[in-house]
Amino acid sequence: MNPRDLSEIKRRLNPDKRNPTVIYGCYVGADGHVISDFAQPVVTMPQEENEKDMAIFKRALSGTLGQNLCEIEFTPMQVMEGEEHKLLTALRESGLKDGGAIEQFYQRVIAYVQTLGTGSQSVSEEQTADNYLILLMHDAYDVPYKDRNGENDMERATDVFHYIISCVCPVRQTKPTLSYFAAESEFHSRASDWVVGAPELGFMFPAFEDRAANLYKAMFYTRDSGDMHEEFIQAVFGTDNPMPAKEQEAAFQAILQDTLADECSLDVVQAVHDTVRGMLLEQKADRSAEPLCLGRHEMKTMLEECGVSPQRAEAFEEQYGQTFGVNAVIPAVNVVAPKKFTVTTPSVVIRVDPEHSDLIETRVIDGKCYIMVLADGNVEVNGVSVRMEGPLGAPVDEN
């Protein structure tokens, strides 16, 4: 799904439109026992509650594509025979009216979330004692026909896109506190309560691509891009989980450093960063474009264009294939951080606006290598504007 597809579905979750007809939920204790389950018709839901529910579901379609929001791909065999795909399809096609399918889905999620309290390193001690809420919603979207000008023509709508969204939210106990009671115009003690937090994970099935359902894909959301919730993906989708964004970034950096060796200079890394960043900015300008991904061949060509020798570029290509897969592509946002450019030494950290990374260069003076930063414009030290001086205290000629 591209940003335009995601925005189109998120608009369906406008609380004023009340498009989903009913919200199903299962409130589960930290030990895995079901405290309650419920079905709330959206049409009778108070506006404030509906707004909060829709905000939670929207979160499952938010984040950076390739990091917080990732595609889950099913094989043709899974679509035809996989029990996980059959369960998701039953939930979708029944409009969440298949009680047996809902119960089976809850049990799969409960079995996963219970593992969070039994040694998962990705979850903090504070989180392991939380209760949690499983939410499910279904929507039937009459996809409007778009004319040549891109305008919607509802009278020519022919397809109905049925989809489900699910979220798993921690439910945490607040501390007793002093609160203001407007009726008495006084402050009184308020007892602790259980509050639903933002979702830790969620998904949408199926994906919405080319204005239609793609049954071979789901969109998976994780709040922490470094935790892909492997057991959840296995339990709900039956697929291998994508490598977390942080692992992809670390692996790419290691390959670049190891294979380029003495050619891994500041100029080369700078050129790679600027090239990929430029591609990302160009792709971002087109909201209908698919997320930018890079394979080993594209990376080899890019390195050569950035000044790397053919031998080193080939070594990178080979190692890239061994690490990620010969035919694998990884999101470009996991290759470079488009909003950050940092140079670190044991004693100094230099952070530069990525648009002006060219302000940094290396230079050898008296046999020693220096990192040079162009001091253009006003210069401040600890918030104090200072005057730059040249050799022997002479003022720098700003002209």
Side-chain angles (χ1 to χ4, degrees):
M1 292 179 66
N2 57 47
R4 183 170 294 175
D5 295 332
L6 289 166
S7 295
E8 188 167 352
I9 298 302
K10 287 169 76 172
R11 286 195 293 271
R12 294 285 301 172
L13 305 180
N14 185 328
D16 295 330
K17 296 181 179 179
R18 297 184 181 254
N19 288 314
T21 55
V22 63
I23 295 175
Y24 288 80
C26 184
Y27 182 33
V28 186
D31 59 359
H33 78 280
V34 176
I35 299 174
S36 68
D37 54 34
F38 56 87
Q40 291 181 295
V42 174
V43 68
T44 61
M45 190 179 294
Q47 180 66 12
E48 186 176 355
E49 291 183 16
N50 186 36
E51 289 176 357
K52 288 180 169 53
D53 283 330
M54 292 302 107
I56 289 174
F57 287 120
K58 279 186 179 180
R59 184 68 67 90
L61 301 177
S62 303
T64 302
L65 284 164
Q67 294 186 341
N68 307 92
L69 200 57
C70 303
E71 290 184 348
I72 299 294
E73 295 193 31
F74 299 97
T75 65
M77 185 62 68
Q78 285 177 304
V79 174
M80 291 187 294
E81 302 179 1
E83 63 178 43
E84 295 85 4
H85 195 278
K86 284 183 178 179
L87 176 58
L88 295 173
T89 300
L91 293 170
R92 170 184 179 252
E93 292 185 347
S94 69
L96 298 181
K97 293 182 174 62
D98 186 337
I102 292 177
E103 179 61 26
Q104 186 180 351
F105 174 77
Y106 286 160
Q107 291 306 316
R108 284 175 180 265
V109 178
I110 290 171
Y112 160 70
V113 180
Q114 278 186 275
T115 65
L116 297 183
T118 57
S120 172
Q121 296 181 351
S122 63
V123 179
S124 67
E125 292 181 2
E126 179 181 320
Q127 290 176 309
T128 58
D130 293 339
N131 296 344
Y132 55 96
L133 176 64
I134 307 169
L135 290 174
L136 262 174
M137 58 144 276
H138 167 270
D139 182 29
Y141 175 29
D142 289 317
V143 182
Y145 172 83
K146 283 190 177 293
D147 61 24
R148 293 181 179 180
N149 298 321
E151 298 295 329
N152 291 339
D153 184 353
M154 290 303 301
E155 294 183 359
R156 298 178 64 182
T158 57
D159 296 325
V160 179
F161 174 57
H162 292 269
Y163 65 98
I164 59 172
I165 298 179
S166 179
C167 297
V168 178
C169 305
V171 182
R172 299 183 175 124
Q173 191 170 24
T174 62
K175 295 181 179 180
T177 186
L178 196 63
S179 297
Y180 180 71
F181 287 73
E184 295 88 355
S185 299
E186 296 176 349
F187 283 88
H188 298 288
S189 176
R190 184 183 295 275
S192 62
D193 203 353
W194 291 91
V195 178
V196 178
E200 292 289 328
L201 57 93
F203 70 89
M204 169 182 166
F205 174 80
F208 181 63
E209 296 182 347
D210 296 325
R211 307 185 60 72
N214 184 345
L215 298 176
Y216 289 84
K217 289 183 182 179
M219 297 302 296
F220 176 74
Y221 166 81
T222 175
R223 183 187 62 82
D224 180 0
S225 61
D227 184 2
M228 290 304 295
H229 302 277
E230 296 180 32
E231 295 86 355
F232 180 91
I233 290 177
Q234 279 290 336
V236 174
F237 305 115
T239 64
D240 294 331
N241 67 300
M243 182 184 292
K246 293 179 182 178
E247 289 186 21
Q248 287 185 351
E249 181 182 10
F252 172 82
Q253 292 170 348
I255 297 170
L256 193 70
Q257 179 176 315
D258 294 344
T259 58
L260 268 57
D262 57 347
E263 293 187 27
C264 191
S265 65
L266 173 61
D267 290 342
V268 167
V269 174
Q270 214 169 11
V272 170
H273 183 279
D274 291 347
T275 301
V276 177
R277 181 176 178 274
M279 296 167 65
L280 284 168
L281 290 176
E282 184 178 345
Q283 179 266 342
K284 185 177 181 180
D286 182 2
R287 291 180 58 80
S288 63
E290 295 298 318
L292 178 64
C293 293
L294 300 172
R296 60 193 185 99
H297 296 306
E298 293 91 341
M299 287 304 307
K300 176 191 174 187
T301 301
M302 182 190 305
L303 289 176
E304 291 178 340
E305 292 174 349
C306 292
V308 176
S309 66
Q311 295 81 6
R312 295 294 189 188
E314 288 178 6
F316 177 91
E317 180 184 24
E318 180 179 353
Q319 188 61 40
Y320 189 99
Q322 293 176 2
T323 302
F324 298 111
V326 174
N327 299 316
V329 294
I330 62 174
V333 290
N334 299 337
V335 171
V336 302
K339 297 182 180 180
K340 180 177 70 173
F341 190 86
T342 305
V343 179
T344 304
T345 74
S347 304
V348 177
V349 177
I350 305 172
R351 294 184 177 88
V352 182
D353 184 338
E355 291 187 11
H356 304 291
S357 64
D358 58 322
L359 296 178
I360 295 182
E361 61 179 87
T362 57
R363 188 173 299 177
V364 176
I365 304 175
D366 296 332
K368 296 182 179 180
C369 186
Y370 290 85
I371 298 173
M372 312 293 290
V373 181
L374 178 63
D376 63 335
N378 184 50
V379 178
E380 294 184 356
V381 177
N382 292 335
V384 178
S385 182
V386 297
R387 186 170 68 98
M388 300 299 293
E389 296 180 345
L392 302 178
V396 174
D397 183 1
E398 296 184 354
N399 297 320

